[in-house]
Amino acid sequence: MSACVEQQRVGCAIGGIYTALAIDRVMPILHSGPGCQDNAGRVVAGVNGGQSMGPISESIIPCTDFCEADVIFGGEGKLKKLIEKSIEYLDSDLFLVVDGCTAEIVGDDIEDVTRSFQGGSVPVIYSRLPGFKGNNLWGHSQVLQSIIEQYLTPSSKRTPRLVNVWGIVPYYDTMWAATLEKVAALLRELGLEPNIIYGQGSGVARLSRIPEAEFNLLLSPWVDLDVVQLLREKFGIPYFHYPVVPIGPTETTRFIRALADYAGLDKENAEAVIAREEERYYYYIQRHLRWLYACKALPKEFYINSSASAALALTRYLVNDLGLLPVKIYIVDNVPDQHQAQVREYFQDLELEIKDFEVVFTSDGGLMGAELKDKALVNPVSILGTAWDQLLATKRKITFVSVSAPYGDTLVGNKTYFGYDGAISLFADFYSDMVTKGTGSV
């Protein structure tokens, strides 16, 4: 064998349970092997900014611990008893039963088991998440589709200005919690009422409001596109697709104006928000210009090795606001074939005359490292990627910023690169590492 795939940047499909865990008072019940959750949770949470499901450990998630006896005799009886005891002892508003590879292979019917709990004191739904069908992003989609199909009901009203927000994947998108907080704050300033189902203050009550929204807002190149299309089909809710989580003044201003046009928002208020935030952004950037001018060799070119969503957002900021040049973009989150052409097209929407950089879709997270390990670098470059890439950057003294899963052991806290303020943080992280590595020392 001449080559192998290494440094995986996605988790198993059962990692989709972290989407459920991000919704307050929703509890997964696993019909899988005892190590499945722990394995899936490493890249999604544990080594992705030190995240966990809350003040308690994921080890309390109910699990049937599928074993050899269950392979032979089936585990449906054990699952039914586990659901009964979970309802009895765990204080939750919604239970989501998921299975793994082994239960799917032997044919255990979790749909039939959950059906026996219909009409009970607490809703119980199911989602099939065998790892042989997809990664954690596929699992994320399956969980949301299960909630839409099995839990949500049509609303008799449409609430003006209420907007559901999609496209940011909890836990997997490392800075998801703070990013959603900032998105919500911006939407409120623009005159909208955000309905965000993940993070602090979320919960089943917000799930129930999804069908009454005026529209859905999708912030990603491809993730959750199937979700907003399903919501349009099932509940008649239109969606506004902005393919990037905006970072920096150019993209955030563009986003605000596009959203204001789509939703019929107060243009005068939108422009006032833009003017105030742009002035603040440039104030903080200008405070560092003298320091930057004193640097010996600023990196002008960059490589990115991350998810499509992070790569697109970062590329637009680095090019449009910092004037840097992309060399090669490695997309490592297994973008489905039917979306790759469109994602590639999004990377052409840059304020750049010559767009001769490469965009590569690969499942091999180690491809960039293999190509750069011994490559002669004529000009100073930078890398934006994951904890895997930090080893290469340190060895070759390349400016590095971790931006995607697995983020590493550094605690993410409430960090976000979203919007105007987030871009200031990214600017500081980027150029601070440059000096730490000695690539642009003052």
Side-chain angles (χ1 to χ4, degrees), residues 155-198:
S155 174
S156 59
K157 64 178 180 179
R158 189 73 76 208
T159 302
R161 296 293 188 247
L162 183 67
V163 52
N164 303 316
V165 179
W166 308 99
I168 297 169
V169 183
Y171 291 92
Y172 182 69
D173 290 340
T174 317
M175 303 176 192
W176 65 277
T179 296
L180 287 172
E181 285 182 352
K182 294 296 185 181
V183 169
L186 177 59
L187 294 180
R188 290 189 190 99
E189 279 201 275
L190 296 175
L192 295 168
E193 181 186 351
N195 185 45
I196 296 176
I197 63 175
Y198 312 125

Side-chain angles (χ1 to χ4, degrees), residues 47-50 174 390 407-413 415:
V47 292
N48 191 27
T174 317
Q390 190 168 7
Y407 184 78
D409 294 330
T410 301
L411 301 184
V412 68
K415 175 174 279 192

